[in-house]
Amino acid sequence: MEKLKTLNWVLLALLGVAAGVAKMMQIPQEMAFFQDALGFSADLIVAFGALQFLSGLMMVFKKTRLAGSLILGLTLFLSCIVIFMSGNIVFGFVSAIPVIMADIAAWIEFKEMQTAKQTQ
């Protein structure tokens, strides 16, 4: 179970960093996608990417993993909604998987924090 938990947060961290870098580098597909679907400005897309990047980094450290998984989950959820809005239903369901993974990571971290408090 510990290996699956570790694999989950490692994959999420990589996903957050990669998704954030793509937006911060203003990759044309990322820019067009968010500009067309939501009307985001280039600066807002870059800021959104920075938030994803930072939340991905937060996943690496135990002390910030809960906050990182919550923030990353929210940004991935927004991306998932945009995908559904664009009419790509199949990819929308596929992109919901990392949202669920982030929710699982947050739940695990929360439960571990509760357990640690009870044992003190």
Side-chain angles (χ1 to χ4, degrees):
M1 184 65 164
E2 193 66 30
K3 288 181 182 182
L4 285 175
K5 183 180 87 168
T6 301
L7 178 64
N8 187 42
W9 71 255
V10 167
L11 290 174
L12 283 168
L14 291 171
L15 177 65
V17 168
V21 167
K23 290 171 185 70
M24 291 188 303
M25 291 181 62
Q26 300 184 11
I27 302 296
Q29 294 87 348
E30 290 284 327
M31 300 303 286
F33 187 69
F34 278 89
Q35 287 171 335
D36 293 345
L38 293 176
F40 278 14
S41 67
D43 290 338
L44 190 55
I45 296 169
V46 170
F48 185 72
L51 187 61
Q52 283 186 313
F53 178 80
L54 290 174
S55 63
L57 288 181
M58 290 171 72
M59 294 291 298
V60 174
F61 304 102
K62 180 73 175 156
K63 287 188 175 187
T64 58
R65 195 168 296 148
L66 176 59
S69 61
L70 291 171
I71 295 167
L72 184 59
L74 287 173
T75 62
L76 293 172
F77 182 67
L78 179 60
S79 295
C80 186
I81 289 172
V82 172
I83 292 167
F84 278 114
M85 288 173 53
S86 72
N88 196 338
I89 304 302
V90 174
F91 187 56
F93 282 113
V94 171
S95 65
I97 294 170
V99 176
I100 295 166
M101 289 171 61
D103 290 344
I104 290 169
W107 182 74
I108 289 170
E109 292 303 317
F110 180 74
K111 287 296 184 183
E112 286 181 359
M113 286 175 64
Q114 280 186 326
T115 303
K117 284 182 182 179
Q118 289 174 354
T119 58
Q120 289 180 351

